[in-house]
Amino acid sequence: MVRLSLVLLCCFLGSVDSQCQIEIQSPVKRYTKVPVGYLMVLRQHDNVLMQLENFARMEKIPSASFTGMGFVDITFGFFDFVTKKYEPKDFKSVELVSMHGTIAWKEDLASIHAHGVVADKTFQAFGGHILNANVGTGSVEILITVHDKNFQREKDSSIGADVLTLD
C-alpha cells in the first residue's frame, strides 16, 4: 500500500519517466470456501474479531458458528452481573488452544460472540469471553460453518447483556 502511494505520487509529480508503472500487490487471501463452510487463515498482527466481522459483511453471512486455534495476544473478559461490565485480563504470546463462537447481527452490524482457552509456555491454561485477539507469531486457523437463518443479538435487560435470538 505504501509502495503504491509512493509510485503514484512520483508519477503525479513527474519524477518518474514516462513509462511510470504501477505495481499493485494483492493482499494476502484470508479465507476460502470449503465443503462445510469457510476456512480462514489469519497472519501475524491480524485482529481476529475484526477479520470475522469483515468476513461476515463481505460474504453476507446470515449467521455462523466457528472454531479456531493458533497463536495470539488476547484479552479475555469475565462478565460481572452486578456491574454489567467485563473485567478484562490480557495474555501475551500464548497459544490459542481452542476458540469457538457465533456470528450474528445487531443493528445491521456483524456481532461476534467468542470464547476461548489459551495456554502459556508452562502449559497453564486460561480462558473466557474474548474481548480482543491479535495473531501473534504464527497464524490462527478458523473453520466457519454458515447457517441458513439470519440470527440477531438483542439486549436482554434482565441480565444486561446481548443474547442471540432464535426468532
Side-chain angles (χ1 to χ4, degrees), residues 20-164:
C20 181
Q21 296 178 355
I22 298 174
E23 180 182 326
I24 299 175
Q25 296 177 352
S26 63
V28 175
K29 188 174 183 179
R30 298 273 193 293
Y31 60 87
T32 189
K33 186 108 173 80
V34 295
V36 296
Y38 291 85
L39 179 61
M40 179 179 279
V41 179
L42 303 179
R43 305 294 177 123
Q44 191 171 24
H45 306 297
D46 281 342
N47 183 287
V48 174
L49 301 179
M50 186 182 305
Q51 290 294 330
L52 286 166
E53 288 173 10
N54 290 342
F55 161 79
R57 187 177 59 256
M58 296 297 292
E59 294 298 323
K60 298 176 178 46
I61 300 300
S63 63
S65 298
F66 59 87
T67 60
M69 61 186 177
F71 291 92
V72 293
D73 295 326
I74 196 165
T75 303
F76 285 125
F78 186 82
F79 192 72
D80 182 327
F81 284 96
V82 174
T83 64
K84 309 291 189 222
K85 293 181 182 176
Y86 283 99
E87 297 173 7
K89 184 159 175 95
D90 294 325
F91 297 89
K92 302 289 184 200
S93 299
V94 290
E95 186 167 354
L96 182 61
V97 177
S98 177
M99 174 181 68
H100 56 274
T102 56
I103 300 172
W105 296 88
K106 182 174 180 172
E107 300 171 6
D108 297 324
L109 297 174
S111 175
I112 310 300
H113 185 197
H115 286 228
V117 177
V118 297
D120 63 17
K121 65 182 179 178
T122 67
F123 300 98
Q124 186 172 8
F126 305 92
H129 177 90
I130 299 174
L131 297 175
N132 189 41
N134 291 303
V135 180
T137 57
S139 64
V140 168
E141 299 171 5
I142 304 170
L143 180 62
I144 304 164
T145 305
V146 178
H147 306 305
D148 61 346
K149 295 183 175 144
N150 183 297
F151 291 120
Q152 300 288 315
R153 287 198 207 289
E154 295 178 5
K155 180 74 79 180
D156 181 330
S157 59
S158 67
I159 60 173
D162 292 337
V163 176
L164 188 66

